[in-house]
Amino acid sequence: MAAASSAPKFPTEFLWSLNERFIRTLEDDKESLEYVMSEHLRMGGAYWGITALALMDRLNTDKNGKDEAAAAGPDKREEGGSGSGGGGDGEGGKDASGSLAGPSLKGQMDELVGWIMKCQHPSGGFGANIQHDPHITNTHYAVLILCVVGRLDLLDRDKVAHWIASMQNEDGSFRGDEWGEVDTRFSYCGLSCLTILDRLDLIDVTKAAAFVHRCLNIDGAFSSIPGSESHAAYTFCCVGALALADALDFADADRLGWWLCERQTEGGGFNGRPEKAPDVCYSWWILSSLAIIGRLHWIDGKKLAAFILASQDDRGGGIADRPDDMADVFHTFFGIAGLSLLKAVEGLKGVHPVYALPNDVVERLGLPYLLDDQ
Amino acid sequence: MHNRRRKATAGEAVPAIREKARRVTELLKKLSKCRAEGATGDDAALQLTQRLIEINPDFAFVWNFRREIIRTLLKQGPESDVTEDEGGGTGGLLCDELSLLEGALSQSPKAYCLWFHRWWTLLMQGVGRDLGRELDLCTKLLTVDERNFHCWNHRQLIVAMRKHAGNTTTPGHDANGQQEDTATRWLDDDLGFTCDMIERNFSNYSAWHLRALTRTQLSCRPGQHTTTGATTSCQQELQWIKQGVYTEPSDQSLWLYHCWLLHQAGRPPLRLVGAVVESRSEPDKGDCRQSVLLFFSAACSIDATRSRVDIHQPEGDVHARTSGAFSPLDADAASQRRNSRIPRQQRPLQPSSDAWRFDLDDGVSVPGRATVILHLRFTAHGGSLPSFYQACFLPTLGIGGDTTPPAAHEPALEVTYQCDVPGNPHRGSVLHLSVKDSCRAAYCIGGGGSSVRDEMQPSDGALLEQELAAVDELLQIEPNCYYAVLAKCWLLESLRPRDPLLLANYKRLQTLDPLRRGFYQDCWSNALVRMKVLEQVERATEGPLEAIDLSSLGLTCLGEQQLLPAHGIKRIDVSNNSIRTLVGLRWLTSLEEVVADPGVQKLPKLRGSSSCR
Ligand SMILES: [Zn+2]
């Protein structure tokens, strides 16, 4: 990345107010093409947005984690210098009668939680939106959001847990839904949910780990299915799954660590596979994997933080996949989570590398810590 | 959302775009309504899903509905779903689906849903499906984007499907041999495919990955494992890489593959890095008991019931099987759950550890001069080891759907190690065994009826020396190629682990490639610890070595393997360094005192060992 004087100047500080406003206004314009075309990502979007706000400590929850309607005032802190040109046509609050259903991230927690619960399918799993089919990833997102906003009590835990357990195959792997797609992402979602719900007794944990183990490659990293190429996102899922299954022994930390640190490119950003372009989302997947195996010091954290910060949109807020691209909530969350693991921005809360939840939430819920440090 | 440039103006304001959004919303609502009314056998519904999918192939719920419709139509259809290329009827429905997908995949080759739907359609087709055409499609799409992750994965699923079909559709008594031939031919085809892809572009790690996997699978097939053959073929591969490296010395794909080849040639994935006999007195019993401690390069699971220890004494040719029990060195740590929510009954039957102990039964002891022979059987699902061997079992993989899980056989690995007991033990209560030729240990990978013997490739010194010279040659032209410097370090680690050049090169890497300074620092630190430990062990010629001093060396980490030659010491000083964790001391079972900087994590529990002589 050429940070030369002639090039446009990219942000070097964390843009608190802009990023917060970006997230809070995401779901405002329910009639935009952007919104309509991301219909299948509604639950994921809610998790990324809410958790990003939680890491920024901009989510109003009381000491028990119980929600409280946030004041929704975006300007609690002063912006660090850069002028804020209004981004997008975010007038919000339009009459949504003709538009699709969806959550609000304005801070009305009851509304958000109500929407999540409406996304639950009679079988127990959650869909991406109301009336969508249940899927293990959306079920995981829903459980995580309820953790963050402290409303896990709303869940019929057994029902959700049984649905997830019903997704485990004979070989230990997990299906995403009734259609039978198999992928190590689903193993991670399954193990994480059932740990949070404390119903690991419903599945075969040893077999679950054995399947993940079959996705270990000769380069030390992991893949989506046995035999396919190593990939940073799946490596996170597999390392996380192994940590949850108490089988981190299956990973060769030194070998995996080298493959992971080789993902850092000259400009500081990480790629997901050898000889590919850097992308902010890999910041999270690689850093969290390195953190889990205790090798976070093998990369240049300063340069990575600079890359993430430079990928912020200094007009509309949010973080993009790389500098000068369009920001979206997915990269905004992964960028912020990366900055949190790097401890690069004062004021950001710590994030747990396995659960992808704020550390204080992990602590409040009494989840097993799983890691060596602290 | 990827690769979308930020626009200066808000594009949403354009009326045409808002209009499109309105249209899509309408279609989505129509779909919901349609579905709520249970309109699944309906051609109009099928058309509706197609329109939406053309707008956005990532709409997973639309695909689900489409599959429901197809499933219903197939059930309603009079013909079976597998018609022989007749085009009409319900068999035609699935064929149409594949054609539709073929077009869509050319448009959006990275849409998850398209790939999954294609796989599902093939599953629905059952035995009549044309897997050859599928592989051709993959080849075609990989020509357009040679790193397309989805396409490579799809190819992998098809290969598994083909293998599975081969296993179930060739009955008869002579089928086994034929099956073996076909499987080997397929692997050869795959190898040829990777070759084509790599010749087109050397920087294709996806192809290198498949190549490494296929070579591993081939080497596990009967009759494919001669040592000389393996060495020759390894040399050919190295020669081939060399062409690429000279063209593009900083290409990571090549070096990752290079690293794998060297690992194969120089270091088998599981090595016995050390073995000691530890004697300790048991105060309550008043006598002395011995344990053989085994230290491995990777975590593994020893199948205690099917492993044994023999002691061979040259005088009188006594060959005795000893009695005792295997357990992980630190059984407490091995049984301790970090995820306390895993129920007790879920604990793996086989604990996994990189250090094991074999406690000899009361009254049994290792004589002063003997050979200890370890017949170990490892279970495949346990430890980081079998990743390499797992590849041999991959063809039987069953991934969801209609493929069944691997056959009931349990893959296992049998290794025989030979260790000599030195004539004069002088490390107090500890006897260091000299591990003979760990690399040459015979590996036997058993499974089902046919077991495959694989003579592990030996640590081929000549090959590695030759490669070291080649890397040096490259460094003459490309002195700043950090991958080459790192490759040189790895070669030296195998060939001359005490060469000071190793330290100099790890230092150099820290300036050549500052992004990964922390990694090189740890490598450097491990190398230095190894040298310092060996130096102090060798200096102690009179009597047992009691203590090791590693203070003020600028160390950042301590490695178990590097410290192992000092096993038996009681004290260690690691103070005034920048070490993060002391977990590396865990193999030194007789430590009583550790001098370390304050704040360093993970001081292992110290043993006040009352040793006997
Ligand atoms: Zn990305």
Side-chain angles (χ1 to χ4, degrees):
Chain A
M1 186 188 65
S5 52
S6 60
K9 203 178 165 302
F10 295 118
T12 54
E13 302 282 330
F14 188 72
L15 308 175
W16 288 92
S17 302
L18 275 177
N19 289 337
E20 181 182 2
R21 193 176 59 191
F22 173 79
I23 297 166
R24 288 204 186 276
T25 56
L26 270 173
E27 310 280 326
D28 278 1
D29 187 359
K30 291 186 164 53
E31 283 163 34
S32 72
L33 188 61
E34 201 74 60
Y35 187 85
V36 175
M37 293 295 258
S38 58
E39 171 70 1
H40 57 298
L41 294 172
R42 211 55 74 221
M43 188 64 81
Y47 160 72
W48 299 318
I50 285 294
T51 313
L53 289 177
L55 289 173
M56 289 165 69
D57 204 7
R58 298 284 172 107
L59 205 62
N60 286 0
T61 49
D62 71 19
K63 62 181 184 299
N64 298 316
K66 277 278 163 64
D67 59 285
E68 217 173 71
D75 294 306
K76 273 196 275 181
R77 283 182 219 204
E78 283 305 308
E79 198 57 62
S82 72
S84 51
D89 51 346
E91 275 121 69
K94 282 183 185 158
D95 177 18
S97 58
S99 56
L100 300 158
S104 158
L105 301 181
K106 280 274 179 234
Q108 312 305 322
M109 286 304 152
D110 285 339
E111 206 182 297
L112 172 73
V113 165
W115 171 79
I116 292 171
M117 295 314 290
K118 277 191 210 151
C119 294
Q120 190 173 22
H121 189 262
S123 61
F126 284 78
N129 202 344
I130 299 168
Q131 286 181 346
H132 280 219
D133 304 309
H135 194 278
I136 201 164
T137 51
N138 292 314
T139 307
H140 184 220
Y141 290 137
V143 169
L144 290 179
I145 301 171
L146 293 174
C147 287
V148 173
V149 302
R151 294 310 307 270
L152 216 45
D153 59 293
L154 288 174
L155 272 191
D156 180 345
R157 290 176 176 233
D158 278 357
K159 195 170 181 185
V160 179
H162 274 103
W163 183 84
I164 292 165
S166 74
M167 290 294 124
Q168 192 176 31
N169 293 315
E170 187 51 37
D171 64 358
S173 65
F174 281 79
R175 299 185 294 283
D177 59 19
E178 64 155 312
W179 298 103
E181 187 178 9
V182 168
D183 181 320
T184 44
R185 250 183 322 159
F186 310 149
S187 301
Y188 165 71
C189 293
L191 284 163
S192 172
C193 277
L194 293 178
T195 298
I196 291 169
L197 301 172
D198 201 3
R199 287 310 307 268
L200 284 168
D201 58 303
L202 295 176
I203 56 160
D204 189 327
V205 177
T206 311
K207 270 192 172 178
F211 177 77
V212 172
H213 189 205
R214 284 170 56 202
C215 298
L216 174 59
N217 275 322
I218 47 143
D219 49 27
F222 293 83
S223 58
S224 57
I225 50 166
S228 71
E229 184 188 348
S230 298
H231 186 289
Y234 293 103
T235 297
F236 158 73
C237 291
C238 292
V239 173
L242 291 179
L244 288 160
D246 240 337
L248 268 180
D249 260 0
F250 287 2
D252 179 341
D254 284 337
R255 222 156 194 229
L256 169 59
W258 182 59
W259 187 89
L260 287 168
C261 73
E262 273 291 324
R263 296 302 109 242
Q264 190 162 29
T265 62
E266 266 323 296
F270 288 158
N271 60 22
R273 290 187 287 152
E275 302 295 330
K276 300 287 280 183
D279 179 335
V280 161
C281 57
Y282 294 115
S283 310
W284 163 257
W285 288 316
I286 287 164
L287 282 177
S288 56
S289 302
L290 283 169
I292 296 168
I293 61 169
R295 305 263 185 305
L296 211 44
H297 61 286
W298 281 10
I299 52 102
D300 188 331
K302 278 209 179 83
K303 274 194 122 173
L304 175 64
F307 175 80
I308 301 172
L309 292 171
S311 303
Q312 292 175 108
D313 179 349
D314 55 6
R315 297 185 59 226
I319 304 178
D321 58 347
R322 56 187 65 112
D324 227 15
D325 271 6
M326 289 263 283
D328 61 75
V329 67
F330 175 84
H331 289 94
T332 303
F333 167 70
F334 287 115
I336 289 174
L339 291 169
S340 158
L341 274 181
L342 289 170
K343 298 185 168 71
V345 174
E346 209 182 317
L348 280 185
K349 288 204 215 169
V351 64
H352 194 285
V354 177
Y355 297 108
L357 286 171
N359 276 326
D360 56 354
V361 172
V362 171
E363 208 172 305
R364 173 179 16 99
L365 295 172
L367 300 180
Y369 188 71
L370 305 172
L371 305 172
D372 269 337
D373 57 4
Q374 288 156 26
Chain B
M1 186 191 309
H2 290 107
N3 293 316
R4 283 184 51 187
R5 281 318 219 183
R6 202 188 299 162
K7 280 174 248 136
T9 54
E12 290 294 293
V14 181
I17 296 178
R18 306 244 9 138
E19 180 47 38
K20 186 181 176 188
R22 210 163 296 137
R23 230 176 38 240
V24 180
T25 305
E26 252 165 51
L27 287 174
L28 285 171
K29 293 195 156 193
K30 204 168 155 192
L31 181 104
S32 289
K33 195 162 158 267
C34 209
R35 213 178 166 188
E37 289 164 358
T40 52
D42 192 335
D43 214 39
L46 201 64
Q47 294 301 322
L48 179 60
T49 58
Q50 189 167 336
R51 275 185 75 189
L52 274 164
I53 287 158
E54 277 161 10
I55 291 166
N56 187 353
D58 291 326
F59 281 153
F61 53 99
V62 180
W63 287 107
N64 291 347
F65 188 37
R66 189 174 178 83
R67 280 189 285 271
E68 278 173 15
I69 298 168
I70 292 173
R71 209 163 49 181
T72 315
L73 289 175
L74 287 177
K75 267 189 210 139
Q76 287 170 354
E79 294 120 304
S80 94
D81 55 294
V82 197
T83 52
E84 279 121 60
D85 281 338
E86 277 168 38
T90 45
L93 186 64
L94 293 175
C95 286
D96 288 351
E97 207 62 7
L98 289 179
S99 311
L100 173 87
L101 283 166
E102 203 162 329
L105 279 170
S106 314
Q107 296 271 306
S108 325
K110 289 184 177 176
Y112 279 86
C113 295
L114 287 176
W115 288 104
F116 173 67
H117 189 68
R118 192 165 181 93
W119 187 68
W120 180 82
T121 309
L122 290 165
L123 278 187
M124 294 302 284
Q125 276 195 319
V127 285
R129 62 201 160 206
D130 184 352
L131 296 181
R133 166 182 145 167
E134 239 11 63
L135 290 176
D136 289 345
L137 175 71
C138 291
T139 307
K140 191 179 113 193
L141 289 170
L142 286 175
T143 315
V144 183
D145 176 5
E146 57 204 9
R147 296 296 302 281
N148 185 337
F149 188 72
H150 306 274
C151 191
W152 282 102
N153 284 5
H154 186 70
R155 197 182 182 283
Q156 205 57 36
L157 285 168
I158 299 306
V159 166
M161 227 176 218
R162 180 179 64 179
K163 168 79 187 171
H164 180 73
N167 281 346
T168 50
T169 55
T170 26
H173 22 267
D174 198 30
N176 220 19
Q178 264 180 20
Q179 256 182 37
E180 288 298 331
D181 289 348
T182 316
T184 307
R185 201 186 64 235
W186 282 338
L187 288 173
D188 281 335
D189 287 351
D190 273 1
L191 212 57
F193 175 67
T194 63
C195 190
D196 292 346
M197 292 301 288
I198 292 164
E199 287 291 354
R200 195 175 301 152
N201 179 3
F202 255 78
S203 175
N204 185 346
Y205 185 67
S206 308
W208 288 112
H209 159 77
L210 181 61
R211 189 168 183 82
L213 184 73
T214 312
R215 280 175 59 90
T216 309
Q217 286 170 338
L218 268 173
S219 75
C220 293
R221 301 208 73 81
Q224 302 279 335
H225 52 265
T226 57
T227 310
T228 42
T231 307
T232 321
S233 123
C234 185
Q235 256 164 340
Q236 283 166 354
E237 292 292 288
L238 287 169
Q239 204 57 37
W240 193 31
I241 295 178
K242 210 170 150 183
Q243 295 174 25
V245 162
Y246 271 86
T247 321
E248 190 41 84
S250 59
D251 188 89
Q252 207 182 111
S253 322
L254 292 164
W255 288 107
L256 278 167
Y257 187 70
H258 186 257
C259 163
W260 173 72
L261 277 175
L262 293 187
H263 260 269
Q264 269 219 312
R267 299 159 155 233
L270 181 70
R271 282 165 299 135
L272 180 64
V273 294
V276 304
V277 177
E278 193 180 52
S279 306
R280 65 198 187 286
S281 61
E282 306 217 327
D284 48 329
K285 288 186 182 159
D287 62 0
C288 180
R289 291 193 63 178
Q290 287 189 328
S291 306
V292 183
L293 308 186
L294 307 172
F295 302 97
F296 295 95
S297 58
C300 54
S301 285
I302 294 180
D303 183 347
T305 56
R306 283 187 277 184
S307 299
R308 61 177 211 270
V309 176
D310 287 350
I311 295 177
H312 182 86
Q313 279 179 277
E315 299 88 28
D317 209 27
V318 187
H319 211 106
R321 180 179 294 197
T322 58
S323 48
F326 284 100
S327 60
L329 182 65
D330 191 346
D332 288 350
S335 66
Q336 202 186 0
R337 279 297 191 193
R338 279 183 180 168
N339 186 347
S340 52
R341 296 189 168 183
I342 300 177
R344 285 195 74 86
Q345 67 268 25
Q346 290 249 9
R347 282 173 195 200
L349 295 172
Q350 294 295 332
S352 152
S353 176
D354 56 6
W356 287 77
R357 62 187 311 133
F358 180 76
D359 292 322
L360 295 168
D361 279 350
D362 221 357
V364 182
S365 65
V366 177
R369 196 180 286 272
T371 300
V372 175
I373 301 180
L374 310 161
H375 301 279
L376 304 182
R377 189 182 169 98
F378 300 97
T379 56
H381 289 310
S384 58
L385 138 84
S387 59
F388 174 89
Y389 292 96
Q390 270 184 52
C392 308
F393 302 103
L394 275 177
T396 56
L397 59 94
I399 305 164
D402 74 346
T403 53
T404 46
H409 75 241
E410 192 202 325
L413 189 66
E414 270 177 16
V415 188
T416 307
Y417 295 104
Q418 189 181 323
C419 312
D420 283 349
V421 182
N424 63 331
H426 56 241
R427 199 74 55 76
S429 58
V430 175
L431 198 61
H432 279 250
L433 305 184
S434 61
V435 178
K436 273 277 174 68
D437 247 350
S438 169
C439 299
R440 277 190 191 278
Y443 285 71
C444 173
I445 308 157
S450 63
S451 70
V452 184
R453 286 196 70 83
D454 172 31
E455 181 75 22
M456 200 45 220
Q457 288 181 36
S459 168
D460 193 331
L463 179 81
L464 297 183
E465 287 287 1
Q466 192 187 315
E467 193 49 26
L468 181 61
V471 171
D472 271 331
E473 205 180 299
L474 176 70
L475 281 169
Q476 297 278 312
I477 308 162
E478 298 281 347
N480 293 333
C481 171
Y482 81 81
Y483 288 117
V485 180
L486 189 55
K488 179 175 177 160
C489 288
W490 280 332
L491 285 158
L492 286 171
E493 294 263 2
S494 288
L495 290 165
R496 293 187 280 285
R498 299 177 69 179
D499 194 328
L501 262 179
L502 207 44
L503 297 175
N505 278 298
Y506 280 135
K507 277 271 181 227
R508 178 136 190 275
L509 280 166
Q510 291 174 40
T511 47
L512 267 186
D513 177 29
L515 286 178
R516 282 160 279 272
R517 185 180 288 131
F519 167 62
Y520 304 124
Q521 261 170 1
D522 282 359
C523 293
W524 174 87
S525 183
N526 278 333
L528 185 62
V529 168
R530 180 199 305 131
M531 294 177 200
K532 292 285 172 192
V533 165
L534 288 173
E535 205 178 286
Q536 292 180 45
V537 166
E538 280 163 12
R539 221 185 289 137
T541 45
E542 300 148 24
L545 180 70
E546 293 277 326
I548 288 273
D549 180 8
L550 295 174
S551 62
S552 314
L553 292 172
L555 302 177
T556 53
C557 68
L558 295 168
E560 291 87 349
Q561 289 187 36
Q562 288 75 21
L563 289 165
L564 187 59
H567 192 280
I569 56 165
K570 295 193 170 101
R571 276 188 309 284
I572 192 164
D573 184 348
V574 293
S575 62
N576 200 20
N577 286 305
S578 310
I579 297 164
R580 289 179 177 78
T581 165
L582 294 177
V583 79
L585 299 176
R586 71 202 158 94
W587 284 2
L588 302 179
T589 50
S590 48
L591 270 186
E592 289 168 13
E593 190 189 344
V594 176
V595 184
D597 298 324
V600 186
Q601 288 175 22
K602 276 273 168 181
L603 190 70
K605 57 174 186 245
L606 300 179
R607 184 169 296 173
S609 75
S610 45
S611 55
C612 64
R613 265 230 67 158

